[in-house]
C-alpha cells in the first residue's frame, strides 16, 4: 500500500450499529462492549471485509473490560480472518489519553499483530487518531512516525 492512495467510495452503512462507516475507509467503533455484543461485532466485521477495500479502524478509550465470552468469540473471529484482516485493515488505532495506559497497550501490540495480522497503534486523542488514519489511507506507514 505504500505510495498508493486509496479511493474513497460510497459504502452502504445500513445495518451497522457498532461501527460508524459513513466516512469509509475511516471506520470508527461507536458501540458499547455490552455482554453479548460479539455476534454483532463479527457480523459487521464480515461486512467490512466483504467490501474488499482497505480501511482503518479507530477505537475510543474503553473504560470497561468486555465479557469473557465476547472476548473469546471475537478472538476466534480474528484468528479465522487473520489473512483477510491483514490484507484490508491498514491499522487498528486505539485512542487512549493516559500516557501510562497507552504504553501498556503498546507493549502488547507485537503479540496482537502476530496473532491477528492487523497493525495496531495508539494515539492520545481522536484528532491524532484521525490524522494517522488519513496518513495511512494516503499511503503512509505506521513506521514513518506520522502523527
Amino acid at each position: 500500500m505504500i505510495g498508493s492512495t486509496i479511493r474513497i467510495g460510497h459504502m452502504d452503512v445500513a445495518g451497522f450499529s457498532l461501527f460508524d462507516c459513513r466516512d469509509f475507509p475511516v471506520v470508527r467503533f461507536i458501540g458499547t462492549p455490552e455482554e453479548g455484543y460479539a455476534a454483532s461485532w463479527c457480523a459487521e466485521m464480515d461486512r467490512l471485509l466483504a467490501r474488499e477495500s482497505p480501511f482503518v479502524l479507530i477505537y475510543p478509550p474503553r473504560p470497561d473490560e468486555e465479557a469473557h465470552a465476547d472476548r473469546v468469540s471475537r478472538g476466534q473471529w480474528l484468528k479465522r480472518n487473520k489473512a483477510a484482516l491483514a490484507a484490508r485493515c491498514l491499522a487498528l488505532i486505539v485512542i487512549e489519553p493516559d500516557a501510562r495506559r497507552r504504553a501498556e497497550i503498546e507493549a502488547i501490540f507485537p503479540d496482537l499483530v502476530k496473532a491477528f495480522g492487523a497493525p495496531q497503534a495508539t494515539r492520545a486523542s481522536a484528532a491524532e487518531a484521525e490524522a494517522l488514519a488519513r496518513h495511512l489511507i494516503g499511503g503512509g506507514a505506521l513506521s514513518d512516525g506520522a502523527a
Side-chain angles (χ1 to χ4, degrees), residues 67-87:
H68 177 74
D70 288 319
R71 185 179 312 113
V72 169
S73 181
R74 287 188 334 100
Q76 290 170 340
W77 184 95
L78 288 163
K79 286 180 182 177
R80 278 192 316 272
N81 293 283
K82 178 180 178 177
L85 192 62

Side-chain angles (χ1 to χ4, degrees), residues 11-13 16 19-28 48:
M11 178 166 185
D12 180 9
V13 297
F16 281 93
F19 293 101
D20 178 354
C21 301
R22 292 175 294 174
D23 197 20
F24 189 87
V26 175
V27 178
R28 295 167 189 84
L48 284 171

Side-chain angles (χ1 to χ4, degrees), residues 1-6 135-140:
M1 234 41 263
I2 295 176
S4 63
T5 302
I6 297 170
H135 171 75
L136 295 170
I137 289 163

Side-chain angles (χ1 to χ4, degrees), residues 20-72:
D20 178 354
C21 301
R22 292 175 294 174
D23 197 20
F24 189 87
V26 175
V27 178
R28 295 167 189 84
F29 182 78
I30 56 171
T32 317
E34 295 175 354
E35 191 167 345
Y37 87 108
S40 294
W41 184 93
C42 293
E44 291 184 29
M45 287 296 294
D46 284 339
R47 287 187 62 203
L48 284 171
L49 291 184
R51 183 160 167 89
E52 297 187 3
S53 296
F55 60 91
V56 176
L57 289 174
I58 298 177
Y59 271 79
R62 290 190 17 192
D64 300 320
E65 287 295 316
E66 67 185 317
H68 177 74
D70 288 319
R71 185 179 312 113
V72 169

Side-chain angles (χ1 to χ4, degrees), residues 56-124:
V56 176
L57 289 174
I58 298 177
Y59 271 79
R62 290 190 17 192
D64 300 320
E65 287 295 316
E66 67 185 317
H68 177 74
D70 288 319
R71 185 179 312 113
V72 169
S73 181
R74 287 188 334 100
Q76 290 170 340
W77 184 95
L78 288 163
K79 286 180 182 177
R80 278 192 316 272
N81 293 283
K82 178 180 178 177
L85 192 62
R88 293 182 187 91
C89 184
L90 300 175
L92 185 152
I93 305 168
V94 177
I95 300 168
E96 178 50 63
D98 181 80
R100 182 188 56 78
R101 181 71 182 125
R102 248 188 343 271
E104 291 171 358
I105 294 168
E106 290 169 355
I108 63 172
F109 280 167
D111 292 334
L112 294 176
V113 171
K114 185 176 181 180
F116 306 128
Q120 305 198 17
T122 61
R123 291 298 184 261

